[in-house]
Amino acid sequence: MALNRAILIDNHSQAGSDPIDHLLSIGFRRPGTSERVPCPVRSLVFESSLDGCERDLLADLGFPKSLGIICDPNTYDVLAKRVSTAIPDAGLIVIDKPKADEDGATALAAQTRHAEALIAVGSGTLNDLVKYVSHQHRRPYAVFATAPSMNGYVTATASISRGGEKLSLPATPPKGAFFDLETLAEAPHRLIRAGVGDSLCRSTAELDWLLSHHLLETVFLEAPFAIQAKDEADVLASIDALWTGDLDAVRSLTRLLVLGGLGMLMAGNSQPGSQGEHLISHYIDMMHRPHPGSLHGEQVGLATLTVATLQNELFTKKAAPLLKETVLDFPAMANRFGKHGDSCREAMTRKALKGEGLEKLNTRLADAWPDICQAFKLKALPIERLRTAFDAAGMAVTPEDLGIDPGFYATAVMHARELRDRFTALDLAADAGLLAPFIERYLAKNTR
């Protein structure tokens, strides 16, 4: 099979009108400047089938001849066997149980030391691991996706564990990302649900970032969210079809995930796709022992529903809440987070509300409140629409659905804000004395 080069980026879109086509063709503006920079991702291909095109896709990237294909036993059977057959001169490495951590990266770097470019065949953990090693050792990489499960395929960060703490570390985006829709449609339903969760956090992330912009003058960009609008609507309209193998529905979800990643590239950080909802997920990953076995996107989906409900309570109030001085209980924080206590202490110290500036912040919040509430009306996904989508996807809507005790989840929602210095609706509610009562009400309605 040969690809029509005129439709290399996406045969579902009209040339010149599609945000993916636009970003790959002319790049994007560097935040805060008029400077336009090229997109580091050179090729994005969404096709019903890529069978027989694998070698050509990589040749178009100008990769060196010495390639290393990395997969795990599952993705070998799903796609890597086909990719390695198409490129028989590439080295094949099958990692039995890949872990996206420093030890895994060191081991993979040693296994691929003779490869001049890396090819990941997989999704979340495996893609993060290959991306991180590629960045560390200055080797280009590309990815053949195996599931529409997360928005990290094209980002410039990798989620890597270090000493038990999951960190978002600098990494090199792929030169190319290739999406065989027939393969993605056959992914386990659980992975597809995770993709729904990781894409529909757009609403909560945008409003959290906008809140920080109004209150703390954080730089805010509209473009990373605007480019997702059409595909988000398509996903919401076609969630039922994801479970029937409908390639148009799978295409919409995959595109939305990729656009979320491109939005983070535009911003130069993860702000457009990671706010309060991701902090709750990070808390679960760090603190739940043993880990409940839930996927990143499953956790983000559950947390998105929680944060969306909190934002709905906050941003439909006529008057802005009154912020009080941030309570900093460092001994409790050290006891809670152990060896990670120092980094949490630093994060909270940077964003703590205190002293003379607090009165000014309350004045600023009151002045901006009509704009914040209006933005909520325009940008938020209504709670009922989220719940309808989650029900259609069979997604977790209570902590117990993910094997998480409601008491632990209450602690996660209460203290997740201590993990990062980003100011979100969790901080607004906590510093106004509203978070604890919200959690109690929320879990009273959302537990089995």
Side-chain angles (χ1 to χ4, degrees):
M1 174 184 174
L3 286 179
N4 180 345
R5 291 304 178 220
I7 56 174
L8 183 61
I9 292 175
D10 182 2
N11 69 358
H12 193 61
S13 61
Q14 298 178 354
S17 65
D18 181 77
I20 291 177
D21 192 349
H22 181 82
L23 288 170
L24 267 65
S25 298
I26 68 171
F28 44 81
R29 286 188 174 87
R30 194 182 300 280
T33 74
S34 60
E35 179 186 0
R36 186 168 289 280
V37 294
C39 183
V41 183
R42 292 176 48 198
S43 177
L44 289 170
V45 181
F46 306 79
E47 285 286 339
S48 297
S49 174
L50 297 176
D51 193 0
C53 303
E54 297 87 357
R55 179 179 285 275
D56 287 344
L57 289 170
L58 294 174
D60 286 345
L61 298 177
F63 273 10
K65 293 183 178 180
S66 177
L67 303 177
I69 298 173
I70 302 98
C71 62
D72 63 30
N74 291 329
T75 62
Y76 174 80
D77 292 335
V78 168
L79 187 57
K81 181 179 180 180
R82 195 178 87 195
V83 174
S84 63
T85 299
I87 314 169
D89 47 340
L92 177 65
I93 297 167
V94 182
I95 305 174
D96 185 35
K97 294 180 180 179
K99 293 183 178 179
D101 57 21
E102 294 283 6
D103 289 342
T106 299
L108 181 59
Q111 289 175 290
T112 60
R113 61 188 179 280
H114 299 304
E116 297 175 293
L118 306 180
I119 312 299
V121 184
S123 57
T125 295
L126 194 134
N127 181 65
D128 276 338
L129 183 59
V130 176
K131 181 193 295 188
Y132 185 59
V133 171
S134 167
H135 178 77
Q136 282 188 314
H137 297 275
R138 300 178 182 275
R139 287 177 283 181
Y141 101 102
V143 58
F144 286 86
T146 56
S149 56
M150 52 95 196
N151 62 12
Y153 281 115
V154 298
T155 62
T157 59
S159 184
I160 301 293
S161 293
R162 177 184 292 165
E165 182 179 7
K166 183 169 284 190
L167 302 172
S168 182
L169 300 178
T172 300
K175 293 297 183 185
F178 310 121
F179 303 92
D180 183 305
L181 299 176
E182 291 178 356
T183 297
L184 270 56
E186 294 177 359
H189 286 185
R190 188 181 177 194
L191 293 177
I192 299 175
R193 291 188 190 103
V196 174
D198 212 19
S199 63
L200 294 186
C201 71
R202 186 283 308 164
S203 172
T204 54
E206 182 171 7
L207 289 164
D208 271 351
W209 196 15
L210 192 59
L211 170 66
S212 178
H213 169 69
H214 280 295
L215 188 60
L216 303 177
E217 299 183 326
T218 307
V219 172
F220 174 82
L221 303 178
E222 290 274 2
F225 305 106
I227 61 175
Q228 300 180 56
K230 181 183 182 302
D231 287 278
E232 182 182 275
D234 290 344
V235 167
L236 288 167
S238 63
I239 281 182
D240 287 338
L242 287 170
W243 322 115
T244 67
D246 185 288
L247 296 191
D248 283 338
V250 173
R251 184 194 307 271
S252 295
L253 175 58
T254 306
R255 282 174 50 87
L256 183 57
L257 290 164
V258 169
L259 285 162
L262 290 172
M264 288 185 265
L265 278 183
M266 295 169 69
N269 55 52
S270 62
Q271 296 264 32
S274 177
Q275 295 286 343
E277 73 294 320
H278 272 69
L279 294 179
I280 296 171
S281 177
H282 293 332
Y283 189 100
I284 295 169
D285 286 334
M286 287 177 60
M287 305 301 292
H288 200 294
R289 294 292 178 267
H291 193 276
S294 42
L295 301 174
H296 170 79
E298 291 177 314
Q299 296 171 184
V300 169
L302 175 62
T304 294
L305 199 57
T306 304
V307 173
T309 306
L310 174 62
Q311 290 175 338
N312 184 70
E313 284 199 12
L314 291 171
F315 301 142
T316 54
K317 293 181 181 295
K318 292 184 178 180
L322 182 66
L323 297 170
K324 303 171 185 176
E325 189 163 310
T326 304
V327 177
L328 297 174
D329 189 341
F330 293 133
M333 202 177 299
N335 184 61
R336 187 161 38 249
F337 294 107
K339 62 183 178 181
H340 307 302
D342 286 345
S343 64
C344 295
R345 175 176 178 156
E346 292 172 5
M348 285 301 296
T349 299
R350 284 194 292 270
K351 66 177 176 180
L353 308 182
K354 57 184 178 180
E356 296 179 358
L358 184 56
E359 184 177 348
K360 293 180 180 179
L361 285 176
N362 273 313
T363 299
R364 183 182 298 165
L365 181 62
D367 290 342
W369 196 247
D371 292 334
I372 294 172
C373 294
Q374 180 64 18
F376 172 79
K377 291 179 182 178
L378 295 174
K379 299 174 182 295
L381 285 175
I383 299 297
E384 289 310 312
R385 193 172 189 189
L386 267 179
R387 285 194 173 276
T388 299
F390 278 30
D391 287 344
M395 293 173 63
V397 294
T398 73
E400 296 100 318
D401 292 338
L402 294 182
I404 298 173
D405 178 78
F408 175 90
Y409 190 70
T411 302
V413 178
M414 189 70 195
H415 296 291
R417 73 186 190 118
E418 297 167 0
L419 296 176
R420 300 285 188 275
D421 61 1
R422 291 180 182 176
F423 191 92
T424 73
L426 296 173
D427 294 285
L428 181 71
D431 288 333
L434 301 174
L435 186 57
F438 162 78
I439 294 170
E440 185 175 353
R441 290 194 305 274
Y442 182 80
L443 289 178
K445 295 180 180 179
N446 294 278
T447 54
R448 300 296 183 191

